[in-house]
Amino acid sequence: MNQVNGEVVHNTESRHTSQETVTRLIRQSQEAKKQAYCPYSNFRVGAALLTLDNCVFTGCNVENACYNLGVCAERNAISKAVSEGYRTFKAIAIASDMNDQFISPCGGCRQFMREFGSNWDVFLSKPNGSCLKMTVEELLPVSFGPEDLSIKKVFDIPNES
Ligand code: THU
């Protein structure tokens, strides 16, 4: 659900991704996880991002001795895709080493995904390949996005000069 000019707009169904593609994407996220650089948390994460034209970009988390500079796997995958000219995504799969729980993207990564639309799929996986399918909209409802910046405001900000 998005609010545009005060009206509630319901998104149509997110794009369909075949079971075979999802399975492959999860495997690719598990492969990406092997590159994780996480000496501080020892928490490996991998992501595999599927673009509209079926290219896949992977990413892992990359931590830093200056802790707050660490980057999540999802953000790495998205940044790789965007820097290669891809901005429309069908799905992202996320992998971690947690057996008993599906890996859930952090708030910052949810917002980073949302920048490129709310109506695409996020597959939260476990090491055995099982997954939970959610949309970006479900992970970040009532979100703020690029469209909101151009919505009419009550007054104009006075020019400083
Ligand atoms: N992390 C990710 O890369 N993605 C997530 O979805 C959750 C957390 C990373 C950040 C940090 O390197 C480590 O996992 C522990 O928080």
Side-chain angles (χ1 to χ4, degrees), residues 44-62:
R44 300 188 305 166
V45 184
L49 176 68
L50 181 66
T51 70
L52 184 61
D53 36 4
N54 297 317
C55 293
V56 174
F57 289 88
T58 59
C60 62
N61 52 334
V62 180

Side-chain angles (χ1 to χ4, degrees), residues 8-140:
V8 175
V9 176
H10 290 276
N11 285 335
T12 51
E13 270 293 285
S14 56
R15 294 180 185 90
H16 180 71
T17 311
S18 72
Q19 185 53 53
E20 192 190 340
T21 303
V22 173
T23 303
R24 198 179 325 120
L25 205 60
I26 290 172
R27 285 220 188 92
Q28 287 166 308
S29 70
Q30 290 170 340
E31 273 304 302
K33 183 181 71 178
K34 293 179 184 169
Q35 304 297 339
Y37 175 73
C38 51
Y40 308 106
S41 71
N42 280 318
F43 191 90
R44 300 188 305 166
V45 184
L49 176 68
L50 181 66
T51 70
L52 184 61
D53 36 4
N54 297 317
C55 293
V56 174
F57 289 88
T58 59
C60 62
N61 52 334
V62 180
E63 298 184 347
N64 193 277
C66 181
Y67 293 172
N68 60 329
L69 294 182
V71 185
C72 293
E74 299 92 319
R75 263 183 267 186
N76 262 337
I78 293 170
S79 296
K80 279 169 74 176
V82 172
S83 58
E84 296 291 332
Y86 297 86
R87 295 181 184 176
T88 310
F89 307 123
K90 284 190 202 171
I92 188 168
I94 316 168
S96 84
D97 295 313
M98 293 189 293
N99 265 322
D100 300 335
Q101 200 170 306
F102 297 105
I103 175 70
S104 181
C106 79
C109 285
R110 293 174 194 212
Q111 182 68 32
F112 214 79
M113 291 170 192
R114 191 265 170 264
E115 182 71 16
F116 303 99
S118 288
N119 186 30
W120 53 290
D121 294 329
V122 185
F123 293 92
L124 320 182
S125 80
K126 287 183 188 174
N128 67 6
S130 62
C131 69
L132 178 65
K133 175 183 169 176
M134 297 188 74
T135 62
V136 174
E137 168 68 23
E138 286 168 335
L139 286 166
L140 193 67

